[in-house]
Amino acid sequence: MEIQKEKTNPFTNIKHIIAVMSGKGGVGKSSITSLMGVALNNKGYKVGILDADITGPSIPKVFGVNQKRAVGMENEIMPVKTASGIKIMSINLLIDQEDAPVVWRGPLIANMVKQFYTDVLWGDLDYLLIDLPPGTGDVPLTIMQSLEIDGIIVVSTPQDLAKLIVTKSINMAKMMGIPILGIIENMSYFQCPDCGKQHSVFGNSGIEIIVKEMDIPLIGKIPIDPELTSLSDEGKIELYEKINYTFGEAFGIQIEKVIEAGKDENLCFQNV
């Protein structure tokens, strides 16, 4: 039985939805989602980020809006805007204490995420990015079944189990009939600021083999950068691409390129 897709409210018009997925936690998926949002926003697109990682929400923190609260209006909710105008919705914008645990069962969490899509007044968006919780459990399944997702970007790290974990994520997306736009390898290496040499902290990467076998684009390899960590902790991730202009420009081009490729090949974004 086919599950009916959720509809947004009359005040919301979302052109495209991209979900960011990882097979396990701790790979920096929320950081990648945030960097994608900043990159697209800097290119003039209207962007929103739905933080679907209910039990580990970190999107408000990295954007420095964790002290703000989403405002309810009858049956709708107003998202919080970041300094650069990115719209955000997260469970941490609704609870009184951001460090309070959300001890809910899977179906309740999944329903809350659906409400973030249907009841939030997103307005006009070119892209809604969904930061999925890690793994292939209830929430990712519900979102893939219930929302009109145009494509998925998988985040991985260069570790021994990466191939198995990435393969599970990709196979789940294929089961749901959702195109994989590409893979980003995070924490790929550390580049010495003195000599410029790259050090494979988590071992040698096998991502090239994975993308070749799966016939999926490799969007890029993101290095370990203490400056990104510091800015995220300070809630100033929007400044990273301005400070590290070379990275910001290259990353933005790659994200836009893989999205445009999806349009051109009619794999997704068919309503453009």
Side-chain angles (χ1 to χ4, degrees), residues 74-148:
E74 295 185 0
N75 296 323
E76 287 85 27
I77 305 170
M78 289 293 294
V80 169
K81 283 188 178 183
T82 71
S84 66
I86 298 172
K87 296 178 181 178
I88 291 178
M89 190 62 224
S90 170
I91 189 66
N92 267 13
L93 300 176
L94 294 175
I95 58 179
D96 293 332
Q97 292 179 289
E98 65 171 330
D99 59 352
V102 180
V103 188
W104 295 350
R105 295 190 182 275
L108 186 59
I109 293 175
N111 285 331
M112 172 60 76
V113 172
K114 285 196 290 186
Q115 280 190 282
F116 284 173
Y117 177 72
T118 60
D119 296 353
V120 172
L121 300 176
W122 291 106
D124 292 324
L125 291 181
D126 294 306
Y127 296 104
L128 177 65
L129 307 181
I130 302 181
D131 183 21
L132 293 175
T136 54
D138 284 344
V139 176
L141 177 61
T142 298
I143 291 175
M144 290 184 192
Q145 289 178 326
S146 304
L147 274 57
E148 294 282 1

Side-chain angles (χ1 to χ4, degrees), residues 13-14 29 59 71 85 91 100 109 112 119 152 160 175 185 189 196 210 228 233 235 257:
N13 178 33
I14 301 171
K29 172 180 49 59
I59 295 293
V71 178
I91 189 66
I109 293 175
M112 172 60 76
D119 296 353
I152 287 176
D160 290 338
M175 286 174 60
E185 184 177 79
Y189 58 88
I210 296 173
L228 175 60
D233 289 342
K257 179 180 177 181

